[in-house]
Amino acid sequence: MKRLLLFLTLLSLTVFTANAQIIWQNTIGGNTYDDVEDVIHTSDGGFLIVGASESGISGDKSENSKGNSDFWIVKTNSIGIVQWDKTFGGSGNDYPVSAIETANGDFVIVGDSNSNISGDKSENSKGDFDFWIVRINSFGTKIWDKTFGGSDYEFGVAIKETTTGDLLITGDSASNISGDKSENSRGFSDAWTIKITSTGTLLWDKTFGGDADEEVMSIVLTPDGGYVLGVIAESGISGDKTVNSSNNEDYWMVKVSSTNTIDWQKSFGGTSNSVTALSALIPTADGGYLLAGDSDSNIGGEKTENTNGGWDLWFIKTNSTGDIQWQNTIGGSDDEYTPHGFEKTSGGYVFAAETLSPISGDKTEDSNSSDIWLIELDASGNLIADKTYGTNSTEYPEQIVETNDRNYVVVSSVDDLSGDNTEAPIGDTDYWLFKVDKSTLSVNSIDAVLSTAIYPNPAKNHVNIISKTKIESVEIIDVTGKLISKIKSPNKTIDISGLSKGMYLLKLRSGNEMAIKRIIKQ
């Protein structure tokens, strides 16, 4: 763990960087491989970071590895300074996925493990990988750990605390009746949900699936004592699945009652040869749900928009019974994957996703390789603003959370000192935690450099430019990133009558300043 004086020295470099949109950042790791999986905002205003580590004592890591890969839990204060870290594992492979803070201030981490009794693991594996659940207090001391599974593999994914203090945990299972599994597999991999007490005693388990593979991504508790599962589903009508899917993968939304019967289910997908992968299911303030994921599908099935390039982000807003209210496909000319996000306190949504696209489609900034793409949607799903963060290497955000001051904290793995990362990684990969000013998205950050306005928008024949600065050039770029035209010393009015209907980007330049505006040609 860094000494405080050293960190404060680094903080003076990281908080006041040339990139003013990053309020603070910290690169946290040991001397080998540390891969982040989740971050939660804690009740004391700090953050709990969860990931897998192979590092021994080194860098920020204060405890040795227990086996191959371990749970590595890092607690920071409100500005990202490490307060404590803990390593939990057995002699095998242990991979955490997500965490919650409970009502009494404890933390519960869920993941998977194939370790037998060893290290911190108090129970043998039931088969292959099992759910491994670790409960710790606010200082990181282990209270208990529990292993749940069958004779095949189980992967723990998500956890929620009920109003009674019980824990609802969901993940994937390939086991038939064996160990803690009371029902046979429906196909290959199914959604497996268990309920345990606050002390880890199993109350019940339930399996849902079809004749192919299902992969759980999210669980949401409902006011009637039931829950909704967000699943990536390959199965057609079979087993528990009464709604068809495409030939590959769809979003599958399953509402389960308090007695573990299915109240309703919905499947959302595109064309028959496409893949649609859910990454988040978010309950919304109006009692509905927002499904977020990625898709390579053009118009077909439930999908009403073509892809902008390869893979795009696909958002679906439903009501309380899963009926679609709106949807939006968002991306650039290359690939976008795996959005994670939340509904803002003030309304609308913020997501962080992986992007490889240059300026094109909905993207207003280039990517160096695989970068972090922050986007803001209004309450109707319209894209308001976007911002790209990253290095010359590969980043993919695992989570973004809203802070008490309504700004955003993002967590990703990082392995390079370049671009927006100002602290060299200690090992192969480290945790990268950084806080972003909300104005980065609420006001287009490029526009803040060159103040302009475009009207009317949408427009049929022309758009007008309002700017206090003389515009030296305007580039018109289509959604694939292709330069359509470049106008030097433009007038205040730009003729767009010759463009086909659709979305375009206007890149306006004045000296070293630039602004990018989206326009719709009607």
Side-chain angles (χ1 to χ4, degrees):
M1 189 179 297
K2 296 184 180 72
R3 294 182 180 178
L4 181 59
L5 288 176
L6 175 60
F7 184 89
L8 292 174
T9 302
L10 291 172
L11 190 64
S12 67
L13 299 176
T14 59
V15 174
F16 304 103
T17 63
N19 185 350
Q21 291 86 27
I22 292 182
I23 299 171
W24 53 255
Q25 60 176 287
N26 195 6
T27 299
I28 302 167
N31 59 2
T32 59
Y33 180 80
D34 309 298
D35 185 32
V36 73
E37 291 291 338
D38 194 18
V39 64
I40 60 172
H41 194 24
T42 55
S43 57
D44 64 357
F47 303 93
L48 189 80
I49 314 169
V50 174
S53 175
E54 297 177 2
S55 296
I57 297 174
S58 55
D60 300 290
K61 198 154 184 295
S62 66
E63 297 177 301
N64 270 323
S65 170
K66 307 296 176 72
N68 294 322
S69 177
D70 300 315
F71 288 19
W72 189 36
I73 316 303
V74 178
K75 175 67 173 67
T76 79
N77 66 7
S78 61
I79 56 172
I81 297 175
V82 175
Q83 295 175 306
W84 53 259
D85 74 291
K86 294 289 182 178
T87 299
F88 300 104
S91 58
N93 292 293
D94 312 295
Y95 301 107
V97 178
S98 59
I100 60 167
E101 183 176 12
T102 62
N104 74 342
D106 291 343
F107 301 110
V108 184
I109 302 98
V110 62
D112 44 84
S113 171
N114 66 1
S115 295
N116 287 316
I117 296 173
S118 54
D120 302 292
K121 200 149 185 298
S122 64
E123 298 175 298
N124 280 328
S125 167
K126 306 295 177 71
D128 193 336
F129 278 90
D130 300 310
F131 289 8
W132 191 36
I133 302 151
V134 180
R135 184 166 188 146
I136 61 177
N137 66 17
S138 60
F139 300 102
T141 301
K142 190 181 86 167
I143 300 171
W144 52 256
D145 75 288
K146 294 290 181 178
T147 299
F148 298 100
S151 58
D152 209 310
Y153 66 78
E154 280 74 42
F155 299 123
V157 173
I159 181 170
K160 298 291 182 185
E161 184 182 33
T162 70
T163 55
T164 60
D166 295 329
L167 300 170
L168 208 62
I169 299 140
T170 193
D172 311 321
S173 173
S175 296
N176 287 316
I177 296 172
S178 55
D180 302 298
K181 271 213 86 199
S182 66
E183 296 176 293
N184 280 328
S185 170
R186 310 294 199 255
F188 294 98
S189 176
D190 300 314
W192 189 44
T193 304
I194 64 172
K195 187 175 186 179
I196 64 175
T197 66
S198 61
T199 56
T201 301
L202 180 65
L203 297 174
W204 53 254
D205 75 294
K206 188 63 183 175
T207 299
F208 294 109
D211 59 6
D213 272 327
E214 274 68 56
E215 182 180 356
V216 183
M217 302 308 295
S218 299
I219 186 170
V220 173
L221 301 183
T222 55
D224 60 2
Y227 54 96
V228 179
L229 297 174
V231 185
I232 301 172
E234 290 186 0
S235 298
I237 296 173
S238 57
D240 304 294
K241 202 159 181 290
T242 61
V243 285
N244 229 334
S245 64
S246 67
N247 291 337
N248 291 305
E249 294 177 347
D250 287 347
Y251 298 174
W252 188 32
M253 195 176 176
V254 187
K255 168 61 175 71
V256 184
S257 73
S258 59
T259 57
N260 272 327
T261 58
I262 294 178
D263 289 331
W264 53 260
Q265 56 182 286
K266 299 284 184 177
S267 183
F268 306 111
T271 57
S272 61
N273 61 349
S274 66
V275 174
T276 300
L278 184 72
S279 56
L281 174 67
I282 299 169
T284 56
D286 62 1
Y289 305 93
L290 186 70
L291 297 94
D294 48 69
S295 176
D296 66 348
S297 179
N298 286 319
I299 295 172
E302 287 72 40
K303 201 158 184 294
T304 59
E305 294 177 288
N306 285 329
T307 178
N308 289 307
W311 290 76
D312 286 338
L313 309 182
W314 190 30
F315 299 95
I316 299 175
K317 172 67 174 66
T318 77
N319 63 14
S320 60
T321 56
D323 300 317
I324 295 177
Q325 295 177 307
W326 55 256
Q327 61 174 284
N328 200 0
T329 297
I330 298 173
S333 59
D334 207 313
D335 292 325
E336 278 70 47
Y337 299 111
T338 321
H340 298 280
F342 57 88
E343 184 177 24
K344 293 171 60 182
T345 305
S346 58
Y349 309 92
V350 171
F351 282 88
E354 180 182 359
T355 180
L356 288 85
S357 293
I359 295 173
S360 56
D362 300 300
K363 277 213 75 202
T364 63
E365 294 179 296
D366 283 326
S367 295
N368 290 323
S369 53
S370 177
D371 289 327
I372 298 166
W373 193 33
L374 268 58
I375 61 172
E376 182 176 356
L377 310 179
D378 67 16
S380 299
N382 300 305
L383 180 63
I384 296 173
D386 74 295
K387 180 68 180 174
T388 300
Y389 292 96
T391 72
N392 294 330
S393 187
T394 298
E395 291 77 45
Y396 38 90
E398 293 293 353
Q399 192 56 267
I400 181 171
V401 295
E402 188 175 31
T403 58
N404 294 336
D405 58 6
R406 303 295 179 253
N407 291 309
Y408 316 128
V409 162
V410 183
V411 69
S412 169
S413 296
V414 69
D415 65 1
D416 193 51
L417 173 61
S418 61
D420 297 298
N421 182 28
T422 60
E423 186 180 359
I426 298 166
D428 295 330
T429 59
D430 287 347
Y431 300 175
W432 186 27
L433 186 75
F434 62 94
K435 185 175 183 179
V436 176
D437 192 310
K438 59 182 178 291
S439 65
T440 298
L441 293 180
S442 297
V443 178
N444 190 310
S445 59
I446 299 175
D447 247 11
V449 177
L450 177 57
S451 179
T452 59
I454 302 290
Y455 78 96
N457 189 16
K460 290 183 178 180
N461 297 312
H462 66 272
V463 293
N464 300 305
I465 303 173
I466 298 177
S467 176
K468 294 180 180 179
T469 306
K470 179 178 174 57
I471 304 300
E472 297 174 358
S473 68
V474 175
E475 296 177 9
I476 302 177
I477 300 167
D478 70 11
V479 294
T480 69
K482 179 182 178 183
L483 178 64
I484 302 301
S485 65
K486 183 173 182 179
I487 307 166
K488 293 184 177 180
S489 301
N491 297 320
K492 298 285 183 166
T493 299
I494 303 295
D495 183 3
I496 61 170
S497 60
L499 299 179
S500 300
K501 292 181 179 180
M503 178 184 288
Y504 296 86
L505 298 179
L506 296 186
K507 184 187 292 186
L508 304 97
R509 294 184 183 275
S510 178
N512 293 324
E513 297 180 347
M514 180 179 71
I516 294 177
K517 291 289 186 178
R518 299 181 184 88
I519 62 168
I520 303 294
K521 169 64 167 62
Q522 292 180 324

